[in-house]
Amino acid sequence: MSKMSELSQVLDDLISCGEQMIRTANAIKECFTEPAESTEEPKKEATAPEPEVRSYSKEEVRALLAAKAKEDGGQFKAQVKAIVKKYGNGGSLTDIPAESYPALVSEVEGLKDA
């Protein structure tokens, strides 16, 4: 290989290396700069699908409330009454809208021994 050919190859490698360093520096810079406001809609990141909210019938909720109130010799009875009163103005299951049943059930199921 001639000296000119070797020099040409070394210069090509040096240019390639410099271009790669510029790309790397720009990538690092992007990591530390705030994104500019754009008119495009932000891309949604892949996340786990939200769990479906189960719907409950009044009878199911009533049975669950009764079971929790009787659990451990009635230890949760006062707490169950307070939760029902919280979701229904009159303190009765009939005063609670059906769309509040999942939240009510979740809160009642969360009652644990103190």
Side-chain angles (χ1 to χ4, degrees):
M1 195 184 254
S2 73
K3 294 279 183 184
M4 287 304 280
S5 175
E6 281 183 50
L7 182 58
S8 179
Q9 181 62 40
V10 169
L11 288 174
D12 287 342
D13 290 345
L14 186 59
I15 290 170
S16 175
C17 181
E19 290 171 347
Q20 183 60 38
M21 288 178 67
I22 290 171
R23 285 193 295 273
T24 303
N26 285 331
I28 292 171
K29 183 179 177 182
E30 286 178 19
C31 290
F32 292 102
T33 57
E34 293 182 22
E37 301 248 347
S38 67
T39 57
E40 293 181 20
E41 196 171 304
K43 295 179 183 177
K44 276 192 167 183
E45 292 184 19
T47 58
E50 292 183 24
E52 280 190 33
V53 177
R54 182 172 178 248
S55 61
Y56 295 90
S57 69
K58 186 182 287 190
E59 292 75 25
E60 290 173 316
V61 174
R62 188 179 312 278
L64 185 123
L65 293 173
K68 194 65 168 182
K70 292 178 185 176
E71 192 174 296
D72 291 335
Q75 131 180 9
F76 298 114
K77 188 173 184 178
Q79 291 169 305
V80 169
K81 280 186 174 185
I83 292 170
V84 170
K85 191 169 188 173
K86 173 182 164 184
Y87 284 92
N89 293 334
S92 170
L93 184 58
T94 56
D95 298 323
I96 301 173
E99 55 269 3
S100 297
Y101 290 168
L104 176 122
V105 167
S106 175
E107 196 167 333
V108 169
E109 287 176 342
L111 293 176
K112 302 277 184 223
D113 293 337

